[in-house]
Amino acid sequence: MAEDARDTRATLALLAALAAAAAGAHALGEPFYVNMAARVAILAMAAAGLNLALGFGGMVSFGHAAFFGLGGYAAGVAAWHAANQIPLASWPVLVPGTDRMIVVWAAAAATGGLAALLIGALSLRTSGVQFIMITLAFAQMFYYFAISWPAYGGEDGLPIYLRNGIEGLDVYDPFTFFAICFVWLAATLAGTARIMRARFGAALTMARLSEARLASAGVDPFPVRLTAFALSGAVTAVAGALNADLNGFVGPSALSWKMSGELMAFVILGGVGRLGGPVAGAAAFVLLEHFLGAATERWVLVFGALLLGVTLFARGGLLGLLAGRARHG
Amino acid sequence: MAEAALRVEGLSKAFGGLVASDRVSLDLRAGEIHALIGPNGAGKSTLIGQIAGWIRPDAGRVLLAGRDVTRLSPARRARLGLGRTFQVSTLALPLSARRNAMIGALARAGGAWGFVRPLMRERALTEAADAALARVGLAARADTPAAELSHGERRRLELACALAGAPRALLLDEPLAGMGPEGAAQMTELLDALRREVPILLVEHDMDAVFRLADRITVLAMGRVIAHGPPAAIRADAAVRATYLGQDDQPEAADV
């Protein structure tokens, strides 16, 4: 498991760099850059969710924006109801809105996980290009639904005037909010590493590498994949909720296919199925967007070229370059 | 009389107009190697597919130790004790031999639903895998990625994966395919000893091995059983000689 150890080291180094950057910016009194670090952490977490399905499970989902957006809307809708003091539901039990982050996260995870369970149950019967297209189609359904539902802003999206909070924490302090996002990211990566080293991870790996062998060993690949897909959706949804709180806004763009594509690009650029890959991919994206985006509108072209170069010449992605040598399994 | 480890009753399967299995019946008894032979296209692979659960038969039944498993998934059948190897390797090449074999033991030793404890600390799994690797002579190669094993070693690792699940009946689909004489001899010896632990339904093209190993032979042609019996009877069977065995040593028969 030497590759594993190298992956872990590279991942820890990336996390340390991210935390150091945020702490440095905070010390220098640059909240803008602290928020940027929070954005990296959030996007990395969303992509880490996707990596569980795409990288470790071999399920190439082109619809993870559905979960990212659902998580965002869970945060936005809960906050809207709390702010307007309109209950979310009055039957069979009264469900009030909430502005407590912990409740919002649970709601986001449940919504995203459940949606992934349903989408997965239908689309995991296919594979390859069909799976890609079906996941895209489901995400588009959520997108158009959000656009055409005026109750929560429709096309204009839903502003969150008061950031959801946690008792005892000043969530308006950028560094505190970064720390929350960072803990989520670290927990996601630690959880992923843990699961992938356990029985479930072994079965998921085998479902990706040799489905017939797994079935012949007496383990049905389908429920293993479906569980991974649901977990993946739940993680990405929590990231979506954090993103809504960071921006004070959630809109249909969080559900768009462009978002799905970006998450996919983070995973691929960072290294498919590499633990810290999403961190590297999301950081590269946000850094290029900011520093190159200031110079030219065509910075996406550079990002595209980088993605192309890494896919063609560095098979382990950015994390592969950092950790050295391709992953085994 | 003891129930057969595996029994196939009247299995039929047609793909469009092509009859791949035509009312095939056979059984596999404790302690034996039952060889299934037949020319290419005889329907051996379709039959194995139906027994293992990948192909649904049009008619007939598959019984595992007396239990009807005809409608069960491959994984359910595996959990009920049906082990198999494939004609084309299904090993996870990037993973070590031990990791491959551990997957074989997964269902028997508790299933896939463990999210916390590291696999390498799962004693039941590592022990089952190491025992299976030792059984096929790969103990020294346990930490080698499957991709770095020789062809013969990979075939034996396939067998170890199946054995790690402690099967009560074993389907081996051409375990000697592509092996040199040395590897084939080694595998033959291994299977010869293995029959005492688990009965084997053996699909194989290497006739030397088949006649050395088999207690009984079933000959399949055009999806139908054309002969069935001990090796000596099969060797003497006129129909078998005409359709299959004769092709080698009686070239004139092919001209008829």
Side-chain angles (χ1 to χ4, degrees):
Chain A
M1 298 280 119
E3 294 81 16
D4 242 24
R6 269 200 294 270
D7 258 24
T8 308
R9 267 202 301 277
T11 303
L12 288 174
L14 278 170
L15 286 178
L18 179 60
H26 179 63
L28 294 171
E30 294 275 5
F32 177 82
Y33 288 104
V34 179
N35 280 333
M36 202 165 111
R39 184 147 177 267
V40 169
I42 289 167
L43 292 179
M45 181 184 167
L50 174 61
N51 200 23
L52 189 58
L54 192 159
F56 295 106
M59 298 169 274
V60 183
S61 162
F62 193 14
H64 258 53
F67 314 125
F68 192 71
L70 277 175
Y73 271 98
V77 168
W80 184 86
H81 280 275
N84 295 297
Q85 299 193 326
I86 301 169
L88 256 167
S90 49
W91 193 91
V93 287
L94 187 76
V95 183
T98 181
D99 55 3
R100 294 176 60 205
M101 266 187 191
I102 291 171
V103 181
V104 164
W105 294 334
T111 313
L114 206 64
L117 204 62
L118 291 173
I119 293 176
L122 294 169
S123 53
L124 282 172
R125 318 240 168 227
T126 68
S127 61
V129 177
Q130 282 157 317
F131 181 78
I132 296 175
M133 297 318 287
I134 289 183
T135 48
L136 171 63
F138 274 115
Q140 288 299 91
M141 276 168 52
F142 283 103
Y143 174 73
Y144 285 110
F145 185 76
I147 278 191
S148 57
W149 199 21
Y152 298 119
E155 221 166 332
D156 299 329
L158 191 61
I160 302 174
Y161 294 112
L162 292 171
R163 189 174 272 184
N164 294 303
I166 298 183
E167 271 147 66
L169 289 182
D170 174 16
V171 293
Y172 281 97
D173 171 46
F175 191 72
T176 305
F177 190 76
F178 165 80
I180 292 170
C181 300
F182 183 80
V183 167
W184 263 113
L185 172 63
T188 298
L189 296 177
T192 303
R194 188 91 209 187
I195 288 176
M196 289 314 296
R197 265 196 275 274
R199 279 166 181 262
F200 181 79
L204 185 63
T205 304
M206 208 58 174
R208 171 169 58 88
L209 293 173
S210 178
E211 188 177 4
R213 186 72 262 159
L214 185 65
S216 300
V219 178
D220 261 316
F222 181 75
V224 171
R225 285 211 183 93
L226 184 58
T227 304
F229 197 71
L231 280 173
S232 163
V235 167
T236 301
V238 172
L242 291 169
N243 194 54
D245 264 332
L246 173 70
N247 298 330
F249 173 78
V250 58
S253 65
L255 290 159
S256 72
W257 66 269
K258 190 165 163 280
M259 187 71 223
S260 293
E262 280 173 7
L263 291 178
M264 231 168 155
F266 301 161
V267 171
I268 294 166
L269 178 63
V272 175
R274 309 291 293 241
L275 186 60
V279 187
F285 179 84
V286 171
L287 288 174
L288 278 178
E289 178 189 48
H290 179 68
F291 291 105
L292 210 62
T296 167
E297 278 175 26
R298 297 191 180 79
W299 71 273
V300 180
L301 202 64
V302 177
F303 183 74
L306 179 68
L307 189 60
L308 201 63
V310 166
T311 337
L312 287 177
F313 302 114
R315 294 216 38 207
L318 291 178
L319 203 88
L321 294 175
L322 281 172
R325 244 181 82 181
R327 173 186 64 137
H328 281 285
Chain B
M1 212 187 107
E3 189 58 62
L6 174 71
R7 184 191 300 278
V8 169
E9 292 176 357
L11 273 193
S12 295
K13 179 75 192 179
F15 297 106
L18 178 75
V19 179
S21 300
D22 188 359
R23 285 158 291 162
V24 175
S25 295
L26 55 82
D27 66 355
L28 179 65
R29 299 174 201 147
E32 77 166 346
I33 291 180
H34 186 154
L36 185 64
I37 64 172
N40 284 326
K44 302 186 296 290
S45 294
T46 307
L47 185 61
I48 289 289
Q50 291 172 86
I51 295 173
W54 297 92
I55 302 171
R56 175 148 293 181
D58 298 332
R61 301 200 300 164
V62 178
L63 294 110
L64 207 55
R67 177 172 174 171
D68 189 340
V69 298
T70 316
R71 313 204 123 265
L72 302 185
S73 70
R76 282 293 303 281
R77 294 179 202 212
R79 290 201 290 278
L80 290 169
L82 185 64
R84 77 167 295 190
T85 66
F86 291 80
Q87 192 175 347
V88 179
S89 172
T90 58
L91 296 170
L93 293 178
L95 303 183
S96 70
R98 182 183 284 120
R99 273 290 293 269
N100 272 284
M102 283 171 82
I103 295 292
L106 205 57
R108 173 175 61 134
W113 305 107
F115 293 82
V116 178
R117 198 186 325 162
L119 197 69
M120 290 304 163
R121 279 198 224 128
E122 295 259 20
R123 288 280 294 281
L125 290 179
T126 51
E127 280 169 12
D130 286 346
L133 289 174
R135 190 70 188 77
V136 302
L138 286 176
R141 306 286 267 161
D143 295 315
T144 308
E148 289 170 27
L149 297 177
S150 72
H151 177 75
E153 287 174 322
R154 284 191 207 174
R155 300 305 295 189
R156 280 187 280 144
L157 178 55
E158 287 257 340
L159 182 58
C161 290
L163 288 177
R168 288 184 292 179
L170 208 47
L171 302 178
L172 302 185
D173 199 352
E174 300 197 28
L176 274 67
M179 278 191 170
E182 203 178 312
Q186 205 172 3
M187 181 62 95
T188 307
E189 206 174 307
L190 185 60
L191 298 182
D192 194 17
L194 201 57
R195 83 179 86 195
R196 285 191 291 274
E197 295 159 40
V198 52
I200 298 169
L201 184 64
L202 175 70
V203 176
E204 187 50 62
H205 275 299
D206 181 334
M207 285 305 129
D208 291 339
V210 165
F211 280 96
R212 242 205 79 195
L213 286 171
D215 298 290
R216 288 188 296 153
I217 297 176
T218 293
V219 186
L220 219 55
M222 313 283 280
R224 194 173 310 158
V225 175
I226 59 162
H228 165 249
I234 295 298
R235 212 189 284 271
D237 190 293
V240 176
R241 295 187 76 94
T243 60
Y244 188 39
L245 294 171
Q247 287 168 3
D248 278 352
D249 45 29
Q250 294 174 319
E252 66 275 16
D255 297 330
V256 177

